[in-house]
Amino acid sequence: MVARISINPSKRCIDEADRCHNRWHPHISPAIEVEPGEIVEVETRDALDGQITSSPSFDDVANADLSLVHPLTGPIYIRGAKPGDLLVVEVLDIVPDEFGFSVIIPGFGFLRDLYPKPYKVRWSIGGGYAISHDVPNVRIFGDPFFGVMGVAPSRQLMEVIRRREEDLRARGGFVLPPDPRGAVPSIEPVASEGLRTIPPRENGGNLNVRHFTPGSKVYFPVFVEGALFSLGDAHFAQGDGEVCGTAVEMRAKARLRFYVVKEGARKYNIKFPVFKPSESSLRRFTWSKTLAVVGVGVLDEKQEAENATLSARHALLNLIEILVKAGYTREQAYIIASVAADLRLSQLVDVPNFTVSAFLPLDIFIEPPRELLDLTL
């Protein structure tokens, strides 16, 4: 038996609030109920709820309403799942849409202080690759996954999250607090209390782990009756870091299967998601040529102690400079790094400088630029 949740891609999340939501809250009614072991077919919207079009204009990016992020399909009620259990989500298949996009949104992304203008790359997806006239000579290998997968938080967990995020906001941190504007469902108290989907948390959410490809299993601690699982934010491809704030974003169809490990979260003291990656998500490490650039906790004449964020920024900027020398604009280079480059912690012990390495697979180039080949001789 196969259960299904279909969507109308010409409509927005608010128009199908019986099967779509963009906040986390335990009082959102399930779109469907399934038995453990049952296969579920699900259709999802893109992360920006259809706001980004195939037009070459950047106006849609500049005017994007981030209160609509992320439209999630669900929730799915899994019968028998109770607080303290583990919900196992087996990803069986993901079918990409034919259109994808990557955007630079002002005020968002790892290097948001250096990229204040909107930018967009439109991708054509087919044959296992994404290509774009906006980034010539690049062919991105597809390894699709869902950036957002998660279960509903309990009211108790919501209050813990609200307090700690409000404390961070009061200390000057970047936090998106609950906001009824654009909330789906728009009913109260969900609209005013619902948690934004931007950060990952105990219930999962916007984890953006590129290893959640078909063949993977993701284990979520259950906080409410039925678990109330939802997913969205499908990515055709992404580098570890998703540095510009977007991957190759798309609509998608998925086939999933759910299992419940009774008392699993409580027995093993699992408080955050755990996963078993698929073999396909490890394929990048077998590619024939890779260029890796290191970064340490130094930028210009600034030195900090044990700062992995600064090291990652250093590595990314070094990679962008190399791509610019190879003929790409700074915006194109930022997009390439976001969809294909992997940021990895290389060491955390050699104080004061942590080392972060940015790995770029050269297989993404149809004709590798001479400047990059010269570095890999």
Side-chain angles (χ1 to χ4, degrees):
M1 180 177 179
V2 178
R4 292 183 178 85
I5 307 179
S6 301
I7 65 167
N8 184 338
S10 66
K11 295 184 177 181
R12 294 286 173 84
C13 182
I14 188 65
D15 301 318
E16 295 188 321
D18 61 332
R19 67 198 69 183
C20 183
H21 63 100
N22 59 23
R23 302 292 192 269
W24 294 113
H25 197 284
H27 291 169
I28 298 176
S29 300
I32 195 173
E33 293 191 15
V34 301
E35 296 287 345
E38 191 172 353
I39 293 176
V40 184
E41 295 182 349
V42 180
E43 297 179 354
T44 65
R45 293 173 166 81
D46 68 66
L48 287 167
D49 201 6
Q51 296 182 85
I52 307 302
T53 72
S54 59
S55 165
S57 169
F58 296 167
D59 290 346
D60 51 354
V61 183
N63 298 322
D65 183 355
L66 296 186
S67 73
L68 305 181
V69 173
H70 302 86
L72 306 179
T73 301
I76 299 171
Y77 185 103
I78 295 86
R79 297 187 182 113
K82 297 182 182 299
D85 294 345
L86 268 183
L87 177 68
V88 184
V89 181
E90 182 180 10
V91 182
L92 301 175
D93 191 26
I94 300 174
V95 180
D97 190 38
E98 295 179 350
F99 171 72
F101 64 87
S102 304
V103 294
I104 300 173
I105 298 175
F108 191 69
F110 189 47
L111 300 181
R112 54 187 175 271
D113 58 319
L114 301 180
Y115 288 85
K117 296 181 180 180
Y119 191 78
K120 175 170 64 176
V121 169
R122 299 156 296 162
W123 302 97
S124 296
I125 298 173
Y129 294 93
I131 59 174
S132 176
H133 294 297
D134 301 321
V135 185
N137 193 38
V138 169
R139 182 178 63 179
I140 303 298
F141 176 80
D143 214 7
F145 70 97
F146 288 94
V148 178
M149 293 198 295
V151 297
S154 65
R155 291 201 67 90
Q156 179 182 8
L157 177 57
M158 280 182 59
E159 180 58 23
V160 169
I161 292 170
R162 189 200 64 78
R163 284 200 308 266
R164 76 187 183 206
E165 292 185 357
E166 177 57 27
D167 175 70
L168 174 59
R169 190 183 70 83
R171 289 184 280 118
F174 189 97
V175 174
L176 294 174
D179 186 346
R181 292 175 299 176
V184 180
S186 58
I187 60 173
E188 296 294 351
V190 177
S192 295
E193 295 179 350
L195 299 173
R196 300 295 302 275
T197 61
I198 293 292
R201 304 181 179 94
E202 290 91 332
N203 66 311
N206 194 23
L207 294 161
N208 281 325
V209 176
R210 68 172 182 82
H211 301 284
F212 292 174
T213 51
S216 65
K217 292 181 179 179
V218 191
Y219 303 76
F220 296 93
V222 175
F223 301 100
V224 300
E225 191 94 11
L228 297 180
F229 175 85
S230 303
L231 80 167
D233 186 28
H235 294 171
F236 181 72
Q238 178 202 292
D240 280 332
E242 198 192 16
V243 290
C244 82
T246 56
V248 178
E249 309 286 338
M250 64 177 183
R251 297 197 304 263
K253 299 178 181 178
R255 292 174 69 246
L256 311 169
R257 185 159 45 208
F258 301 96
Y259 303 97
V260 177
V261 179
K262 301 304 295 181
E263 293 291 312
R266 188 171 289 121
K267 178 180 179 181
Y268 298 106
N269 197 30
I270 294 176
K271 298 179 180 179
F272 284 80
V274 176
F275 68 96
K276 177 182 179 296
S278 66
E279 291 185 6
S280 71
S281 66
L282 305 176
R283 188 177 304 158
R284 187 171 299 170
F285 298 106
T286 67
W287 289 13
S288 59
K289 283 186 179 293
T290 302
L291 177 66
V293 184
V294 302
V296 298
V298 177
L299 200 56
D300 298 326
E301 296 184 0
K302 182 179 182 179
Q303 170 79 63
E304 290 196 9
E306 303 178 68
N307 189 325
T309 300
L310 188 58
S311 297
R313 183 181 175 94
H314 190 202
L316 177 59
L317 289 172
N318 289 340
L319 177 61
I320 287 173
E321 288 299 330
I322 291 174
L323 288 169
V324 168
K325 291 294 185 182
Y328 291 99
T329 68
R330 301 190 71 80
E331 290 78 14
Q332 289 172 330
Y334 194 24
I335 294 284
I336 291 170
S338 194
V339 303
D342 291 336
L343 288 175
R344 297 193 164 271
L345 284 169
S346 296
Q347 64 84 16
L348 295 171
V349 296
D350 298 329
V351 294
N353 290 332
F354 292 165
T355 305
V356 173
S357 301
F359 289 80
L360 180 70
L362 299 185
D363 305 62
I364 69 172
F365 298 102
I366 298 171
E367 290 289 337
R370 177 75 181 201
E371 293 84 354
L372 299 185
L373 289 178
D374 286 346
L375 295 173
T376 59
L377 292 176

